Amino acid sequence: MCGIVGYIGKNEKAKDVILKGLERLEYRGYDSAGIAYSLDNKVNIQKENGRVENLKDNICFSKKSNIGIGHTRWATHGRPSKENSHPHKCNKITIVHNGIIENYIELKEELKKLGYTFLSETDTEVACALLDYLYSKTNDMVKAIELFKDKAKGSYAIGALCDDDLNTLYAIKNNSPLIIGIGDNENYIASDVPAILDFTNKYIILEDGEFAKIDSDNIVVYDKENNITNKEIKEFEGNLGDIDKNGYDHFMLKEIYEQPEVTKRMIESYVDQNNDIIKDMPDLSKYKNITIVACGSAMHAGLIGKSLIEEFGNIPVNVEIASEFRYKKLFIDEDTLVIAISQSGETADTLEAVKIANKKGCDTLGIVNVNGSSIARETSKVLYTKAGPEIAVATTKAYSAQNTLLSFIAYSLAKNCKDKDKLAYLNTFLKDLNKLPVLMQEILNNHEEYENIAKEIYDKNDIFFIGRAIDYALCMEGSLKLKEISYIHSEAYPAGELKHGTISLIDEGTPVIGIVTDEKIADKTISNIKEVKSRGANVIYVTTDELNKNGDFYDKKIIIPKTNKLLEPLLTIIPLQLISYYVAKCNKCDIDKPKNLAKSVTVE
Ligand code: F6R
């Protein structure tokens, strides 16, 4: 989603730092970019539709700038255009903004009556005018910001400059992430840590309602009540290599290939091999039911979790799309554990769902990738997925890591299980888990097989995924991955449901990926696969070593090596990720930054 980078410093590197930072944030998805920087003690603004690269042509690099703010915009209010892109300037104030000012229409009317005129359709220009008006009344930016916080409703992370003092940078935060980076004789602001990692790994996280007054040497942070507060300085633990492609064509491919390593890291962090237990688990035995809240792929991981936890842990699990959960009648209480799954830890709908669950008195557990993110801070307990920074918009390694943690939860719950069928899986769980990275690598080594399948299907208009139970959850993720990066229409269907409508869409050559990994329903799914095959579908049959069947009901077959039931989805998803990647590559799509999408969805 939108990105913010700001700079203030005696080293006068504003333009270089901001452009580099904006490039580091490109992965979040955006449609226009802009920068405001000091030039001869005036604010100079450059904005363009499209990529950050386009900005560089018209920037004056011959003179240095001590201060600036930059932005990548993902359109919410007003279409993507130069006028609507940030920064916005109104008289003495210039701002960049992430989030949504919910009462901007009323504020706009009030400001119009006070003589303000507007050039764009954005809520941000209204926020800028409001700050300018409040500054004109107070002549003091700190007071103006205090008043701004009372008037503006909604979510905002704002970087602001005031023409009267181009040696001070302001940062204001409410319900949208914003950090302050700490350098030598210079400081930075950013919506996300990767934006500043080329310059520093030390940073402060602003909380909701906080704002900061920043110059080259000092950072003064004000709390919710507008009192000066001391903040903890954090250090980023990864390294910059984590946010480079390291020779891969795309971040997505690199991240798919990192899955064995992420799994090893999770085993090291969470498994007590000597005592056969998963460390850091909350006391799961006290809950009567579990509700999982998440969006997109994280919600698909939730569906895998539901299947494993119900099957092995024997406790009912309800999976809710967070944006729906927020507005529906809820049946959760102190007996419910609410698990929020999120890679970014900043998804607005998931964050709000957590706040609602907290208010209802539920224990909340975050399964989160980004350390210290809003969801990690808001949940009563957090388990980190340790996937490292995920840059490609389409999630792969973080989704897998979410599934790994969910299998840990299912395993921990199931340990008291008396069911003989399940015991065999539980007894071998740790052994199978330790072997998993090698099996993942074996699948990755077969990449040519998936590339060849992609070459056969990349020019089709529709691609279907069918499966039952846990395989249907995998189908949903496989289908989302494919459509989001290749722009090919794709649907996932429970295999038994096709004949109630969708089968009319199957024509000669329509690709259908049929997933069969669950022995209880394997024959049923194969019957459904035969139904589409007999209507001309080009069937790619994905199954396990154990269930592998020969016959004339498929055109291509992908075999997943044998592993523990609790871990199988972690292997099955890899060919689906790679097929999606290669289909998008054949279609020459912008794989890491698919159109209209954003990495971290911080608006409702
Ligand atoms: C799809 C994808 C999205 C995210 C969703 C939630 O590849 O990445 O569907 O899973 O936007 O994001 P997080 O996990 O950051 O809450």
Side-chain angles (χ1 to χ4, degrees):
M1 198 131 273
C2 307
I4 289 178
V5 187
Y7 173 93
I8 171 84
K10 290 185 185 139
N11 306 323
E12 302 193 317
K13 297 189 303 203
K15 284 164 285 196
D16 294 333
V17 167
I18 292 169
L19 289 169
K20 182 78 200 163
L22 290 179
E23 277 169 1
R24 290 287 186 195
L25 291 182
E26 282 194 305
Y27 73 96
R28 294 172 67 110
Y30 68 103
D31 38 55
S32 52
I35 178 170
Y37 54 94
S38 58
L39 193 69
D40 301 329
N41 215 26
K42 283 204 181 83
V43 171
N44 198 43
I45 297 183
Q46 189 65 43
K47 323 200 253 196
E48 293 299 337
N49 234 340
R51 298 285 172 218
V52 173
E53 187 60 31
N54 304 345
L55 273 181
K56 293 187 181 164
D57 301 342
N58 296 313
I59 288 178
C60 170
F61 284 103
S62 57
K63 290 189 179 171
K64 292 185 163 186
S65 300
N66 70 315
I67 192 166
I69 45 179
H71 193 257
T72 47
R73 174 174 187 256
W74 187 82
T76 55
H77 289 64
R79 77 209 131 81
S81 70
K82 198 165 167 175
E83 298 71 50
N84 288 339
S85 54
H86 306 197
H88 287 280
K89 182 162 178 36
C90 185
N91 302 325
K92 290 185 171 174
I93 304 296
T94 308
I95 72 166
V96 289
H97 162 227
N98 287 355
I100 294 176
I101 306 292
E102 283 165 8
N103 58 338
Y104 84 105
I105 294 180
E106 299 110 79
L107 290 173
K108 194 170 188 175
E109 287 316 307
E110 282 175 35
L111 288 160
K112 273 185 184 164
K113 283 186 200 138
L114 293 165
Y116 281 88
T117 52
F118 295 90
L119 302 172
S120 77
E121 304 157 276
T122 64
D123 53 334
T124 302
E125 195 183 10
V126 176
C128 189
L130 176 62
L131 199 52
D132 177 72
Y133 172 69
L134 298 169
Y135 177 69
S136 73
K137 293 286 144 202
T138 55
N139 238 348
D140 180 332
M141 272 301 273
V142 169
K143 289 210 175 80
I145 292 171
E146 288 175 12
L147 295 169
F148 176 90
K149 291 198 310 173
D150 291 338
K151 291 217 120 215
K153 304 279 171 264
S155 57
Y156 46 82
I158 291 176
L161 308 178
C162 175
D163 283 1
D164 286 344
D165 174 12
L166 287 182
N167 288 309
T168 309
L169 171 65
Y170 297 90
I172 321 169
K173 133 98 180 156
N174 195 47
N175 286 328
S176 195
L178 196 58
I179 58 148
I180 303 170
I182 304 166
D184 283 338
N185 291 320
E186 57 187 31
N187 292 308
Y188 324 86
I189 60 168
S191 49
D192 202 356
V193 178
I196 54 161
L197 282 183
D198 290 280
F199 317 106
T200 183
N201 65 350
K202 290 197 180 59
Y203 65 98
I204 289 168
I205 299 176
L206 287 183
E207 299 290 341
D208 289 344
E210 291 185 341
F211 68 98
K213 181 179 175 187
I214 308 161
D215 64 29
S216 308
D217 309 305
N218 298 300
I219 298 169
V220 183
V221 178
Y222 297 82
D223 67 13
K224 250 187 188 163
E225 274 76 44
N226 306 323
N227 299 314
I228 292 178
T229 179
N230 281 327
K231 299 287 292 183
E232 183 195 346
I233 297 177
K234 302 209 172 261
E235 273 191 34
F236 179 76
E237 282 164 9
N239 60 54
L240 204 52
D242 291 343
I243 54 171
D244 278 323
K245 283 191 210 140
N246 286 350
Y248 286 91
D249 284 351
H250 296 95
F251 280 109
M252 182 177 175
L253 191 62
K254 173 184 171 234
E255 287 159 7
I256 291 172
Y257 273 80
E258 278 173 355
Q259 290 175 114
E261 193 187 313
V262 172
T263 309
K264 273 191 211 151
R265 208 180 298 147
M266 292 193 70
I267 296 173
E268 274 158 28
S269 307
Y270 284 103
V271 179
D272 176 344
Q273 305 273 2
N274 297 329
N275 297 307
D276 186 8
I277 50 168
I278 306 293
K279 296 184 275 186
D280 289 344
M281 284 288 132
D283 174 11
L284 297 161
S285 63
K286 63 181 185 184
Y287 303 107
K288 292 207 174 96
N289 54 69
I290 293 176
T291 288
I292 297 179
V293 289
C295 302
S297 293
M299 190 276 290
H300 297 159
L303 292 171
I304 300 279
K306 171 183 167 71
S307 205
L308 297 178
I309 294 169
E310 287 183 342
E311 180 80 19
F312 289 86
N314 221 17
I315 147 168
V317 181
N318 188 21
V319 179
E320 300 272 7
I321 294 173
S323 54
E324 294 290 311
F325 177 89
R326 292 177 68 166
Y327 300 109
K328 66 185 285 203
K329 184 162 177 169
L330 297 174
F331 299 91
I332 52 173
D333 54 28
E334 311 80 68
D335 293 330
T336 312
L337 173 66
V338 174
I339 303 181
I341 308 177
S342 175
Q343 186 284 127
S344 62
E346 300 296 348
T347 300
D349 286 317
T350 312
L351 177 60
E352 194 51 38
V354 171
K355 290 182 180 166
I356 293 168
N358 283 339
K359 275 198 198 121
K360 289 249 175 204
C362 305
D363 285 349
T364 48
L365 171 67
I367 294 186
V368 175
N369 196 38
V370 178
N371 277 29
S373 55
S374 302
I375 294 172
R377 299 200 303 276
E378 198 66 37
T379 40
S380 14
K381 174 156 179 74
V382 61
L383 297 174
Y384 284 109
T385 41
K386 318 223 177 238
E390 193 178 60
I391 307 296
V393 163
T395 181
T396 51
K397 61 174 181 172
Y399 163 84
S400 288
Q402 289 160 357
N403 283 340
T404 308
L405 265 178
L406 289 160
S407 76
F408 289 175
I409 292 176
Y411 174 66
S412 304
L413 267 166
K415 288 200 67 192
N416 299 327
C417 164
K418 304 272 178 292
D419 183 340
K420 276 199 198 127
D421 292 352
K422 305 280 158 16
L423 276 179
Y425 296 119
L426 298 179
N427 291 340
T428 56
F429 180 76
L430 284 196
K431 204 166 113 234
D432 293 336
L433 178 64
N434 289 328
K435 283 191 206 149
L436 199 69
V438 173
L439 295 182
M440 286 176 145
Q441 192 56 52
E442 267 177 32
I443 297 181
L444 291 167
N445 294 346
N446 290 342
H447 61 91
E448 266 177 32
E449 195 186 325
Y450 317 127
E451 195 165 0
N452 289 337
I453 291 174
K455 282 181 186 152
E456 252 183 47
I457 63 174
Y458 79 96
D459 56 352
K460 299 290 187 248
N461 294 327
D462 310 285
I463 299 179
F464 292 89
F465 288 72
I466 61 171
R468 289 168 180 250
I470 202 163
D471 293 335
Y472 172 51
L474 282 163
C475 285
M476 289 175 78
E477 177 56 10
S479 170
L480 174 60
K481 216 77 310 165
L482 182 81
K483 65 189 144 208
E484 71 177 321
I485 60 167
S486 71
Y487 319 143
I488 294 177
H489 166 245
S490 169
E491 285 185 48
Y493 256 85
E497 188 64 9
L498 278 184
K499 52 188 165 302
H500 300 290
T502 324
I503 202 156
S504 62
L505 296 171
I506 305 295
D507 274 326
E508 200 56 44
T510 307
V512 176
I513 300 186
I515 305 182
V516 187
T517 68
D518 186 342
E519 63 189 345
K520 290 193 297 309
I521 34 126
D523 289 341
K524 302 285 169 203
T525 309
I526 288 175
S527 298
N528 301 133
I529 292 179
K530 286 180 179 164
E531 288 160 11
V532 290
K533 181 73 201 145
S534 61
R535 283 159 182 86
N538 174 11
V539 172
I540 297 136
Y541 165 50
V542 182
T543 193
T544 62
D545 228 353
E546 288 165 298
L547 297 180
N548 178 13
K549 282 209 165 68
N550 291 323
D552 56 3
F553 61 92
Y554 60 86
D555 298 273
K556 287 263 152 55
K557 182 157 64 178
I558 295 174
I559 306 282
I560 306 298
K562 180 173 161 37
T563 185
N564 197 292
K565 276 281 149 228
L566 281 152
L567 302 169
E568 218 156 50
L570 289 159
L571 296 181
T572 314
I573 196 62
I574 297 175
L576 307 186
Q577 293 169 338
L578 283 171
I579 290 173
S580 302
Y581 171 81
Y582 289 120
V583 165
K585 198 170 175 198
C586 291
N587 281 305
K588 303 196 168 36
C589 295
D590 192 351
I591 295 180
D592 286 334
K593 291 174 280 200
K595 69 174 184 218
N596 302 338
L597 286 179
K599 181 68 182 161
S600 172
V601 184
T602 48
V603 294
E604 211 182 307

